[in-house]
């Protein structure tokens, strides 16, 4: 049975195809259109998924959309009616979109699919709709390795739910309870994302990265005024401080008065106050997630927990849940945001609607999240030849050894190997790599290659067998969704006296300064020989030269750009930055070997701020 899952029309449109329960392909539309968080109908992602499965639209048994637009519309109407006359302007702006397209989404989808497949609408596969949090829960539980688990979904909002708890057993998900809009932990975090000058639905991870530079001075203000947090983790927000339910902004003048200033303008640099606010909301978020996780364990009597929804990308909170909530193990959907809803919707239809048997597999069913397009070496050579780019071939292990030598020599390398990752993290398929031992590498990567804020930390990719030797972590973290401290024996004594905020970046805090945050934490990715043998072999080769089984791994893109998808994307990004080398399959491209005339064709690209 072939099922196509779809998420679209909000942000991060995506498609996923499963065949008899096996995830064959999944991709976000932004990777093909080069529009960050593209919300349009995912024509390219669907075409890719069908191609990967060697299927036509007529071969698909079901198409499943990841939420129910009529329930969303009901929530919008009830919210506006409950707040009249507040929100009238927002109501006038949103209704034409709903009345023109979203309310008739089934017809829109059928029209789009008919055009895509060049078939009569009457010959299309049946179209089903899952609920938004059902799709999240299915994306978290069904690919997990667990027979039975609690499932906690946390995001901004779906139809009504913002927080939902499920019990996953065999091929079923049993809903237990939920917290409804407007009381939303995801929107609370997004409100602070907006207030500290970052873009909502994009800058939340920046707020998380900024938090360790601050002090939790505003925790009491948040707890006393904004959120009524109960012992069991359930909560209510005081909506008099927020505008997101009916207005065009996240926060309002009362919120500004509570923190003593208007929101930071995005063109200004974060101040110590912004850092303190970031730290404070991070503390409140972690405490809320931790209490909820403990409640789920107690109420459902489960040893395992699955997480999904945008809040599940808060890897600092995930690390605390792992260490402090008493579960034997966690599993977090790597595409925890709305893109992952495409996978969840398809799996929900297969297991719950069709009632098919589920057999959990180890380590999980996501196949390392390497579910996107791949290119052969011949295709890469042909693409580079068309671009006129000088390159060299390195067969077998030769490329691994060559790249390891470049990295050990302090070079920055674009690494494009195998299938593209599904989800927001680059995991060694479309990555930029560097030497974590270099004290200068964080600054070089942020300012000369990624063109992004200097405060943002980089993640370590560590050989799975060595994770416990370098980090306080005793298990796999293949999707870079757990934060753990750098191991005690690798830390350095630091005197921070007199330093605040970003000035603390000047101190080297471990033997791996480029991946060690100011609080000695790191967002760890374990690299496994069974899911990514080539990346694993590269780290081993680097270790043989340096004694260090860790590399910096950051996504292959620049600020505001989607992660690269094709060899042409990779070459364009490589030439527009100060990367030293580019390794695509068995082909190596060296910056020094590129003709100056060719370099002039690829100036630094400008993308919309993220």
């Amino acid at each position: 049975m072939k099922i196509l899952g779809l998420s679209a029309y909000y942000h991060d449109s995506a498609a996923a195809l499963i065949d008899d329960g096996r995830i064959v392909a999944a991709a976000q539309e932004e990777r093909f259109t080069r529009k960050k968080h593209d919300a349009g109908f995912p024509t390219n992602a669907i075409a890719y998924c069908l191609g990967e499965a060697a299927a036509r639209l007529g071969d698909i048994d079901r198409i499943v959309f990841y939420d129910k637009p009529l329930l969303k519309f009901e929530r919008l109407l009830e919210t506006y009616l409950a707040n009249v006359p507040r929100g009238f302007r927002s109501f006038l702006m949103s209704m034409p979109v709903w009345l023109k397209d979203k309310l008739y989404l089934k017809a829109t989808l059928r029209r789009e699919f008919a055009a895509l497949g060049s078939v009569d609408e009457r010959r299309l596969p049946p179209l089903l709709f899952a609920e938004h949090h059902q799709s999240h829960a299915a994306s978290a539980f069904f690919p997990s390795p667990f027979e039975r688990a609690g499932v906690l979904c946390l995001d901004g909002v779906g139809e009504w739910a913002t927080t939902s708890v499920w019990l996953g057993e065999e091929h079923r998900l049993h809903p237990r309870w939920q917290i409804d809009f407007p009381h939303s932990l995801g929107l609370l975090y997004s409100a602070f994302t907006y207030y500290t000058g970052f873009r909502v639905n994009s800058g939340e991870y920046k707020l998380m990265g900024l938090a360790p530079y601050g002090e939790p001075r505003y925790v009491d203000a948040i707890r006393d005024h904004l959120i009524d947090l109960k012992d069991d983790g359930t909560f209510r927000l005081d909506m008099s401080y927020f505008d997101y339910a009916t207005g065009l902004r996240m926060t309002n003048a009362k919120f500004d008065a509570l923190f003593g200033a208007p929101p930071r303008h995005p063109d200004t640099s974060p101040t110590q106050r912004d850092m303190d606010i970031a730290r404070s909301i991070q503390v409140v978020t972690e405490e809320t997630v931790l209490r909820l996780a403990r409640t789920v364990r107690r109420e459902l009597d489960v040893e395992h927990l699955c997480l999904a929804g945008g809040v599940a990308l808060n890897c600092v909170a995930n690390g605390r849940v792992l260490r402090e909530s008493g579960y034997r193990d966690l599993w977090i959907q790597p595409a925890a945001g709305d893109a992952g809803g495409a996978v969840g919707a398809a799996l929900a239809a297969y297991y719950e609607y069709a009632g098919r048997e589920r057999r959990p597999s180890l380590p999980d069913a996501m196949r390392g999240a390497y579910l996107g397009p791949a290119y052969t070496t011949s295709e890469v050579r042909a693409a580079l030849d068309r671009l006129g780019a000088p390159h060299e071939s390195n067969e077998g292990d030769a490329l691994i050894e060559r790249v390891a030598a470049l990295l050990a020599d302090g070079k920055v390398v674009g690494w494009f190997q195998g299938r593209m990752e599904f989800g927001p993290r680059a995991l060694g398929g479309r990555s930029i790599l560097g030497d974590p031992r270099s004290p200068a590498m964080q600054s070089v990567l942020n300012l000369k290659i990624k063109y992004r804020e200097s405060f943002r930390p980089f993640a370590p990719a560590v050989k799975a067998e060595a994770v416990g030797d370098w980090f306080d972590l005793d298990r796999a973290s293949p999707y870079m969704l757990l934060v753990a401290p750098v191991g005690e024996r690798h830390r350095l004594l630091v005197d921070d006296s007199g330093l605040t905020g970003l000035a603390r970046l000047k101190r080297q805090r471990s033997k791996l300064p480029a991946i060690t945050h100011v609080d000695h934490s790191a967002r760890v990715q374990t690299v496994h020989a069974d899911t990514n043998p080539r990346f694993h072999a590269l780290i081993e080769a680097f270790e043989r030269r340096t004694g260090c089984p860790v590399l910096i791994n950051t996504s292959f893109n620049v600020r505001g750009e989607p992660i690269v998808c094709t060899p042409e994307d990779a070459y364009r990004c490589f030439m527009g930055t100060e990367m030293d080398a580019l390794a695509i399959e068995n082909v190596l491209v060296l910056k020094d070997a590129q003709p100056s005339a060719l370099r002039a064709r690829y100036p630094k690209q400008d993308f919309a701020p993220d």
Side-chain angles (χ1 to χ4, degrees), residues 30-31 34-37 202 205-206 412 414 424 426 430-432 444-453 456 458 554-565 569-579 591 602-610:
E30 65 164 25
R31 307 294 169 85
R34 313 306 300 154
K35 288 169 56 181
K36 189 91 169 173
H37 305 303
S202 175
Y205 56 96
K206 297 184 186 181
V412 177
R430 305 288 186 274
S431 293
I432 296 173
V444 168
L445 281 170
N446 269 332
L447 302 179
K448 294 186 177 181
I449 293 173
K450 299 284 285 186
Y451 304 122
R452 68 183 201 181
E453 300 90 341
R456 292 172 61 182
F458 287 101
T554 186
S555 54
F556 198 150
N557 61 346
V558 297
R559 183 182 182 184
E561 179 193 20
I563 295 174
V564 301
C565 179
D569 297 335
Y571 185 74
R572 184 171 54 247
C573 184
F574 166 70
M575 292 296 283
T577 68
E578 296 186 36
M579 264 185 275
K591 184 65 68 63
Y602 296 94
K604 175 188 168 189
Q605 286 186 282
D606 288 323
F607 290 87
D610 58 355

Side-chain angles (χ1 to χ4, degrees), residues 429-442:
R430 305 288 186 274
S431 293
I432 296 173
L433 308 177
D435 184 347
R437 302 169 304 154
S438 165
M441 191 57 76
Q442 181 185 16

Side-chain angles (χ1 to χ4, degrees), residues 325-387:
S325 64
Y327 286 97
R328 180 178 290 183
D329 207 355
L330 307 180
W331 194 84
I332 306 158
Q333 164 58 239
D338 278 7
V343 170
L347 291 172
Y350 183 75
Y351 290 113
E352 297 207 279
Y353 185 79
R356 297 302 175 96
E357 183 184 5
R358 172 175 175 262
R359 293 177 181 171
S361 58
L362 294 174
D364 60 47
M366 284 297 290
R367 306 169 67 187
Y370 305 109
L371 297 167
Y375 297 84
T376 65
T377 295
S378 297
E379 290 172 324
V380 171
R381 286 197 194 102
L384 293 172
D385 287 343
R386 284 195 298 274
L387 296 169

Side-chain angles (χ1 to χ4, degrees), residues 84 112 140 444 491 585 605:
V84 168
E112 293 279 10
V444 168
R491 298 182 203 169
E585 297 304 331
Q605 286 186 282

Side-chain angles (χ1 to χ4, degrees), residues 388-392 580 588-596 598-599:
H391 55 85
E392 57 183 77
D580 300 294
L588 188 65
V589 185
L590 298 172
K591 184 65 68 63
D592 289 345
Q594 304 308 297
S596 54
L598 196 54
R599 292 189 191 203

Side-chain angles (χ1 to χ4, degrees), residues 458-462 471 480 515 522-526 550-553:
F458 287 101
V462 57
F471 302 95
M480 209 184 280
I515 57 87
R523 183 161 44 93
V524 179
Q525 179 200 359
T526 53
V550 184
L551 287 172
I552 296 173
N553 178 11

